[in-house]
Amino acid sequence: MMMVPVMSWAQSVVVTGKITSADTKAPVAGASVFLSNSSFGTSTGKDGKFTLTSLKPGQYNLVVSSVGYEDELKLISLVDAGVVLNIELKPKITQLKEVTIAPISKSDRKQALEQFKQDFIGTDENAGNCKIVNPDVLNFSYHQNKTVLEAYTDEFLLVENKALGYRIKFLLRNFKSELQTGNISYSGSQVFEELKGGKVKQERWHRKRDEAYYGSAMHFFRALYRDSLDDAGYRIYRLSRDINESRPADRNIQAHLVNARKLSRDSLIFWVNAAHDSRYTHQKFHGRFNVKDIVKSTANPNLKEVIFPDHLYVVYTKKWEANFYKDVYRSPNDLNYQTTIVSLVNNNPSIVIDKNGTIIGPSPMYEGSWSQARLSVLLPVDYTPYSTQQQFLETQALKRD
């Protein structure tokens, strides 16, 4: 029996508009128009017009992309009324990127592509069922003695996720992987398209999508917005900690370990132990938060603000943690539930969210379970679960038995 979504939105919003060239005022045909990180996308007709229908209320980044023009990004708020947009695209000024190193060799490109797949798509079970359809559009470069990998594309990077049943079109504007520290950052816009499949495939995709959803950051922020954390299986705490000043910087540690053969036994032991030391010290819980302690209303009735001191410690009690994170503090008496530490970055005072669990503006930093989420488990922001959490947990229990 085919599963059907268990959540619904009362309203269905329509966005229409016309895309023209800023210099000639002529309509731009064939431009891609989509809501970033959603399953809503289309192309403009010969007259430059477009229509996006059956949209769920929320905050979205509307993206317009066309060959020969600069991408246009526009934050739109969808409530219960239609939105009409007239957007002018600026012609792209072709500029050669600053060349700081020689083009990478074929062997280096092969190595870079494999590293990119691990860092961008992931290394979990789902990642094994993901394929980059057009890897040739990726441009790679190495920096700092091949310890930093960067990548970008001038057109859509196409990835087929056959684990979840999506074809993802990703405009990757920049990607950076620091190979010594493990830090990964990237920016861009993406739109999801449903893969075609029979009933058996569809049901398998629905189960895998729900598996990716429950316990995810999207699931958490939706529950936080609705003040339903207890029912969803989350506990939140305030966590304070200090930087471990006695631990050498990651770059120093990795630089010494790369030359391990040249080190004395005592020196090697020192640097290995340093690598295993936590970056933090004096970690301490300061009690459990209630939703009302950290979630505040905003001037926009469709948005809420999440404000907390120090760090937000999030425990999901419906899944066990499969990985070890040396920098994630665990209470000696706590069970090994999936745990994530949420930290504000770049002096941002808060996190702003909408009812879909979408973060509006800069994203926080995640350590622990959510930090491992890659494209292999990425769901569109308009995703609707196909089973309730209880149904999902019961199905998982039956599979284990």
Side-chain angles (χ1 to χ4, degrees), residues 264-308:
S264 67
R265 182 176 181 276
D266 289 344
S267 183
L268 178 60
I269 292 174
F270 171 83
W271 289 107
V272 169
N273 288 337
H276 287 89
D277 281 348
S278 173
R279 294 181 176 87
Y280 308 104
T281 186
H282 302 135
Q283 303 196 71
K284 182 181 178 182
F285 287 132
H286 294 269
R288 184 174 174 180
F289 282 128
N290 293 313
V291 171
K292 65 180 181 180
D293 297 328
I294 64 170
V295 177
K296 311 298 178 185
S297 299
T298 69
N300 185 331
N302 301 298
L303 300 179
K304 293 185 179 180
E305 193 173 24
V306 185
I307 307 172
F308 53 88

Coordinates of all heavy atoms in Angstrom, one line a residue, residues 264-308:
S264 N 60.9 11.6 16.6 CA 61.4 10.6 17.6 C 60.1 9.9 18.2 O 59.0 10.4 18.0 CB 62.1 11.3 18.7 OG 61.3 12.2 19.4
R265 N 60.3 8.8 18.9 CA 59.2 8.1 19.4 C 58.4 9.0 20.4 O 57.1 9.0 20.3 CB 59.6 6.8 20.1 CG 58.5 6.0 20.7 CD 59.0 4.7 21.3 NE 58.0 3.9 21.8 CZ 57.4 4.0 23.1 NH1 57.9 5.0 23.9 NH2 56.4 3.2 23.5
D266 N 59.1 9.7 21.3 CA 58.4 10.6 22.3 C 57.6 11.7 21.6 O 56.5 12.0 22.0 CB 59.4 11.1 23.3 CG 59.9 10.1 24.2 OD1 59.3 9.0 24.3 OD2 61.0 10.3 24.9
S267 N 58.3 12.3 20.5 CA 57.6 13.4 19.8 C 56.4 12.9 19.1 O 55.3 13.5 19.1 CB 58.6 14.0 18.8 OG 58.0 15.1 18.2
L268 N 56.5 11.7 18.5 CA 55.3 11.1 17.8 C 54.2 10.9 18.7 O 53.0 11.2 18.4 CB 55.7 9.8 17.1 CG 54.6 9.1 16.3 CD1 54.0 10.0 15.2 CD2 55.1 7.8 15.8
I269 N 54.5 10.3 19.9 CA 53.4 10.1 20.9 C 52.8 11.4 21.3 O 51.5 11.4 21.5 CB 54.0 9.3 22.1 CG1 54.4 7.9 21.8 CG2 53.0 9.3 23.3 CD1 55.2 7.2 22.9
F270 N 53.6 12.4 21.5 CA 53.0 13.7 21.9 C 52.0 14.2 20.9 O 50.9 14.7 21.2 CB 54.2 14.8 22.0 CG 53.7 16.2 22.2 CD1 53.3 16.6 23.5 CD2 53.6 17.0 21.2 CE1 52.8 17.9 23.7 CE2 53.1 18.3 21.3 CZ 52.7 18.8 22.6
W271 N 52.4 14.2 19.6 CA 51.5 14.7 18.5 C 50.3 13.9 18.3 O 49.2 14.4 18.0 CB 52.3 15.0 17.3 CG 53.3 16.1 17.4 CD1 54.6 16.0 17.5 CD2 53.0 17.5 17.5 NE1 55.2 17.3 17.6 CE2 54.2 18.2 17.6 CE3 51.8 18.2 17.5 CZ2 54.2 19.6 17.8 CZ3 51.8 19.6 17.6 CH2 53.0 20.3 17.7
V272 N 50.4 12.6 18.5 CA 49.3 11.7 18.3 C 48.3 12.0 19.5 O 47.1 12.0 19.2 CB 49.7 10.2 18.3 CG1 48.5 9.3 18.5 CG2 50.4 9.8 17.1
N273 N 48.8 12.1 20.7 CA 47.9 12.4 21.8 C 47.3 13.8 21.6 O 46.1 14.0 22.0 CB 48.7 12.4 23.1 CG 49.1 11.0 23.5 OD1 48.5 10.0 23.1 ND2 50.1 10.9 24.4
A274 N 48.0 14.7 21.1 CA 47.5 16.1 20.9 C 46.3 16.0 19.9 O 45.3 16.7 20.0 CB 48.5 17.0 20.3
A275 N 46.4 15.2 18.9 CA 45.4 15.0 17.9 C 44.1 14.5 18.5 O 43.0 14.8 18.0 CB 45.8 14.1 16.7
H276 N 44.2 13.6 19.5 CA 43.1 13.0 20.2 C 42.5 13.9 21.3 O 41.4 13.6 21.8 CB 43.4 11.6 20.7 CG 43.6 10.6 19.7 ND1 44.8 10.4 19.0 CD2 42.7 9.8 19.1 CE1 44.7 9.4 18.1 NE2 43.4 9.0 18.1
D277 N 43.2 14.9 21.7 CA 42.7 15.8 22.7 C 41.5 16.6 22.2 O 41.5 17.0 21.0 CB 43.8 16.8 23.2 CG 44.8 16.2 24.2 OD1 44.5 15.1 24.6 OD2 45.9 16.8 24.4
S278 N 40.6 16.9 23.1 CA 39.5 17.8 22.7 C 39.9 19.2 22.5 O 40.8 19.7 23.2 CB 38.4 17.7 23.8 OG 37.3 18.6 23.5
R279 N 39.2 19.9 21.7 CA 39.5 21.3 21.5 C 39.0 22.2 22.6 O 39.3 23.4 22.7 CB 38.9 21.8 20.2 CG 39.5 21.2 18.9 CD 38.8 21.8 17.7 NE 39.3 21.3 16.4 CZ 39.0 20.2 15.8 NH1 38.0 19.5 16.3 NH2 39.5 19.8 14.7
Y280 N 38.2 21.5 23.5 CA 37.5 22.3 24.6 C 37.8 21.7 25.9 O 38.2 20.6 26.1 CB 36.0 22.3 24.3 CG 35.7 22.8 22.9 CD1 35.3 21.8 21.9 CD2 35.7 24.1 22.5 CE1 34.9 22.2 20.6 CE2 35.4 24.5 21.2 CZ 35.0 23.6 20.3 OH 34.8 24.0 19.0
T281 N 37.6 22.6 26.9 CA 37.8 22.1 28.3 C 36.7 22.8 29.2 O 36.0 23.7 28.7 CB 39.2 22.5 28.8 OG1 39.4 21.9 30.1 CG2 39.4 24.0 28.9
H282 N 36.6 22.4 30.4 CA 35.6 23.0 31.4 C 34.2 23.0 30.8 O 33.5 23.9 30.9 CB 36.0 24.4 31.8 CG 37.4 24.5 32.4 ND1 38.3 25.5 32.0 CD2 38.0 23.8 33.3 CE1 39.4 25.4 32.7 NE2 39.2 24.3 33.5
Q283 N 33.9 21.8 30.2 CA 32.5 21.7 29.6 C 31.5 21.4 30.7 O 31.8 20.6 31.5 CB 32.5 20.7 28.5 CG 33.5 21.0 27.4 CD 33.3 20.2 26.1 OE1 32.3 20.4 25.4 NE2 34.1 19.2 25.8
K284 N 30.4 22.1 30.6 CA 29.4 22.0 31.8 C 28.0 22.3 31.3 O 27.8 23.2 30.5 CB 29.8 23.0 32.9 CG 28.9 22.9 34.1 CD 29.4 24.0 35.1 CE 28.5 24.0 36.3 NZ 28.9 25.0 37.3
F285 N 27.1 21.5 31.8 CA 25.6 21.7 31.5 C 25.1 22.8 32.6 O 25.6 22.8 33.7 CB 24.8 20.5 31.7 CG 24.9 19.5 30.6 CD1 25.2 18.1 30.8 CD2 24.8 19.9 29.3 CE1 25.3 17.2 29.8 CE2 25.0 19.0 28.2 CZ 25.2 17.7 28.5
H286 N 24.2 23.6 32.1 CA 23.6 24.6 33.0 C 22.1 24.4 33.1 O 21.4 25.4 33.3 CB 23.9 26.0 32.6 CG 25.4 26.3 32.7 ND1 26.0 26.9 33.8 CD2 26.4 26.1 31.8 CE1 27.3 27.1 33.6 NE2 27.6 26.6 32.4
G287 N 21.6 23.2 33.0 CA 20.2 22.9 33.1 C 19.5 22.8 31.7 O 20.1 23.2 30.7
R288 N 18.4 22.2 31.8 CA 17.6 22.0 30.6 C 16.7 23.2 30.2 O 16.1 23.8 31.1 CB 16.7 20.7 30.8 CG 15.9 20.3 29.6 CD 15.2 18.9 29.9 NE 14.4 18.5 28.8 CZ 13.6 17.4 28.8 NH1 13.7 16.6 29.9 NH2 12.9 17.1 27.8
F289 N 16.7 23.5 28.9 CA 15.9 24.6 28.4 C 14.4 24.1 28.2 O 14.2 23.0 27.8 CB 16.4 25.1 27.1 CG 17.6 26.0 27.2 CD1 18.7 25.8 26.4 CD2 17.6 27.1 28.0 CE1 19.8 26.6 26.5 CE2 18.7 28.0 28.1 CZ 19.8 27.7 27.3
N290 N 13.5 25.0 28.4 CA 12.2 24.9 27.9 C 12.1 25.7 26.6 O 12.9 26.7 26.4 CB 11.1 25.4 28.9 CG 11.0 24.5 30.1 OD1 10.9 23.3 30.0 ND2 11.0 25.1 31.3
V291 N 11.2 25.4 25.7 CA 11.1 26.1 24.4 C 10.9 27.6 24.7 O 11.6 28.4 24.0 CB 10.0 25.5 23.5 CG1 9.8 26.4 22.3 CG2 10.3 24.1 23.1
K292 N 10.1 27.9 25.6 CA 9.8 29.4 25.8 C 11.0 30.1 26.3 O 11.1 31.3 26.3 CB 8.6 29.5 26.9 CG 9.0 29.0 28.3 CD 7.8 29.1 29.2 CE 8.2 28.6 30.6 NZ 7.0 28.8 31.5
D293 N 12.0 29.4 26.8 CA 13.3 30.0 27.3 C 14.1 30.6 26.2 O 14.8 31.6 26.3 CB 14.1 29.0 28.1 CG 13.5 28.5 29.4 OD1 12.7 29.3 29.9 OD2 13.7 27.4 29.8
I294 N 14.0 30.0 25.0 CA 14.9 30.4 23.9 C 14.2 30.8 22.6 O 14.8 31.4 21.7 CB 15.9 29.2 23.6 CG1 15.1 28.0 23.0 CG2 16.7 28.8 24.8 CD1 16.1 26.9 22.5
V295 N 12.9 30.5 22.5 CA 12.2 30.9 21.3 C 11.3 32.1 21.5 O 10.5 32.2 22.4 CB 11.3 29.7 20.8 CG1 10.5 30.2 19.5 CG2 12.1 28.5 20.4
K296 N 11.5 33.2 20.7 CA 10.8 34.4 20.8 C 10.1 34.8 19.5 O 10.5 34.4 18.4 CB 11.8 35.5 21.2 CG 12.7 35.2 22.4 CD 12.0 34.9 23.7 CE 13.0 34.6 24.8 NZ 12.2 34.2 26.0
S297 N 9.0 35.5 19.7 CA 8.3 36.0 18.5 C 9.0 37.2 17.9 O 9.9 37.8 18.5 CB 6.9 36.5 18.9 OG 6.1 35.5 19.5
T298 N 8.7 37.4 16.6 CA 9.4 38.5 15.9 C 8.3 39.4 15.3 O 7.1 39.2 15.4 CB 10.3 38.0 14.7 OG1 9.4 37.4 13.7 CG2 11.2 36.9 15.2
A299 N 8.8 40.5 14.7 CA 7.8 41.4 14.1 C 7.1 40.8 12.9 O 6.0 41.1 12.6 CB 8.6 42.7 13.6
N300 N 7.7 39.8 12.3 CA 7.0 39.0 11.3 C 6.4 37.8 12.0 O 7.0 36.9 12.5 CB 8.1 38.5 10.3 CG 7.5 37.8 9.1 OD1 6.4 37.2 9.2 ND2 8.2 37.8 8.0
P301 N 5.0 37.7 11.9 CA 4.3 36.6 12.6 C 4.6 35.2 12.1 O 4.3 34.3 12.7 CB 2.8 37.0 12.3 CG 2.8 37.8 11.1 CD 4.1 38.6 11.1
N302 N 5.3 35.1 10.9 CA 5.6 33.8 10.3 C 7.0 33.4 10.7 O 7.4 32.3 10.2 CB 5.4 33.9 8.8 CG 4.0 34.3 8.4 OD1 3.1 33.6 8.7 ND2 3.9 35.4 7.7
L303 N 7.7 34.2 11.4 CA 9.1 33.9 11.8 C 9.3 33.9 13.3 O 8.6 34.6 14.0 CB 10.1 34.9 11.2 CG 10.1 35.0 9.7 CD1 11.2 36.0 9.3 CD2 10.5 33.6 9.0
K304 N 10.2 33.0 13.8 CA 10.5 33.0 15.2 C 12.0 33.1 15.4 O 12.8 32.7 14.5 CB 10.0 31.8 15.9 CG 8.4 31.8 16.0 CD 7.9 30.6 16.8 CE 6.4 30.7 16.8 NZ 5.8 29.6 17.6
E305 N 12.4 33.7 16.5 CA 13.9 33.9 16.8 C 14.3 32.9 17.9 O 13.6 32.8 18.9 CB 14.1 35.3 17.2 CG 15.6 35.7 17.2 CD 15.7 37.2 17.4 OE1 14.8 37.9 17.9 OE2 16.8 37.8 17.0
V306 N 15.4 32.2 17.7 CA 16.0 31.3 18.7 C 17.2 32.0 19.3 O 18.2 32.2 18.6 CB 16.4 30.0 18.1 CG1 16.8 29.0 19.1 CG2 15.2 29.4 17.3
I307 N 17.1 32.3 20.6 CA 18.2 33.0 21.3 C 18.6 32.2 22.5 O 17.8 31.8 23.3 CB 17.7 34.4 21.8 CG1 17.1 35.2 20.6 CG2 18.9 35.2 22.4 CD1 16.5 36.5 21.0
F308 N 20.0 32.0 22.6 CA 20.4 31.2 23.7 C 21.9 31.6 24.1 O 22.6 32.0 23.2 CB 20.4 29.7 23.4 CG 21.1 29.3 22.1 CD1 22.5 29.0 22.1 CD2 20.4 29.2 20.9 CE1 23.1 28.7 20.9 CE2 21.0 28.9 19.7 CZ 22.4 28.6 19.7

